Amino acid sequence: RELSKNFNYKFNDNFTFNTELLDLVRDKHLDIDFQLYIFTTGATQETIECQRFLNGYFKKIFSAEKLNLSKKEPSAYLLLADEINLNPNEILFVDDMRQNTVAAETAGFCTITFRNNMQFETEIEGYIANSLE
């Protein structure tokens, strides 16, 4: 948000999309087999530049900032579970910040703390295999 206040701001000069990860989501049919949502701290994912990449993958984007929530608090995840009408144990939450996945785990969510694409692919395959049992 602070960067965008600069007159010379260009989204693509400041952010790089992990298109390999989006390809993985598509190739594994995660966007078809599961309901995918984004729970973001701010609202960057709602920008036109982001929507070009994200459109079609996710059902809804939830902004902690707009909802006056903190991703560090388990209560935020319980509210989201209620909003999408699922029990917390039916939800897999993926985040690159361990403090956020700990909060989600405390709320009863399954979690993956994202470190890199290879690690995510291994863990999501394990999650899918376990969910089919």
Side-chain angles (χ1 to χ4, degrees):
R1 184 175 10 175
E2 290 300 314
L3 290 172
S4 67
K5 292 177 184 176
N6 183 330
F7 177 75
N8 295 321
Y9 170 78
K10 291 185 177 127
F11 181 88
N12 293 328
D13 290 345
N14 296 283
F15 298 96
T16 303
F17 262 92
N18 186 342
T19 55
E20 183 180 310
L21 181 60
L22 288 174
D23 290 343
L24 176 69
V25 168
R26 185 193 63 235
D27 294 346
K28 298 263 182 220
H29 305 287
L30 300 178
D31 55 330
I32 296 168
D33 296 338
F34 299 94
Q35 297 176 40
L36 302 180
Y37 298 88
I38 292 178
F39 183 33
T40 181
T41 302
T44 302
Q45 287 80 357
E46 296 174 345
T47 64
I48 293 169
E49 296 89 349
C50 287
Q51 286 303 303
R52 284 188 297 133
F53 289 97
L54 302 176
N55 213 8
Y57 288 97
F58 301 92
K59 287 188 74 161
K60 186 171 181 177
I61 297 173
F62 294 96
S63 166
E65 178 182 55
K66 287 183 175 182
L67 295 169
N68 200 28
L69 300 172
S70 170
K71 290 174 70 176
K72 298 174 188 172
E73 297 296 326
S75 58
Y77 300 92
L78 294 173
L79 188 137
L80 291 180
D82 189 53
E83 178 72 25
I84 62 176
N85 201 28
L86 290 172
N87 293 321
N89 65 344
E90 298 174 303
I91 300 171
L92 172 64
F93 177 70
V94 180
D95 199 286
D96 63 344
M97 300 293 293
R98 182 67 184 136
Q99 63 191 5
N100 296 342
T101 57
V102 167
E105 288 167 6
T106 302
F109 286 35
C110 300
T111 67
I112 294 175
T113 303
F114 180 87
R115 291 186 303 277
N116 60 57
N117 292 347
M118 186 182 307
Q119 165 263 339
F120 174 75
E121 183 173 12
T122 300
E123 290 195 41
I124 197 67
E125 287 174 352
Y127 176 81
I128 293 167
N130 287 336
S131 68
L132 296 175
E133 293 177 352

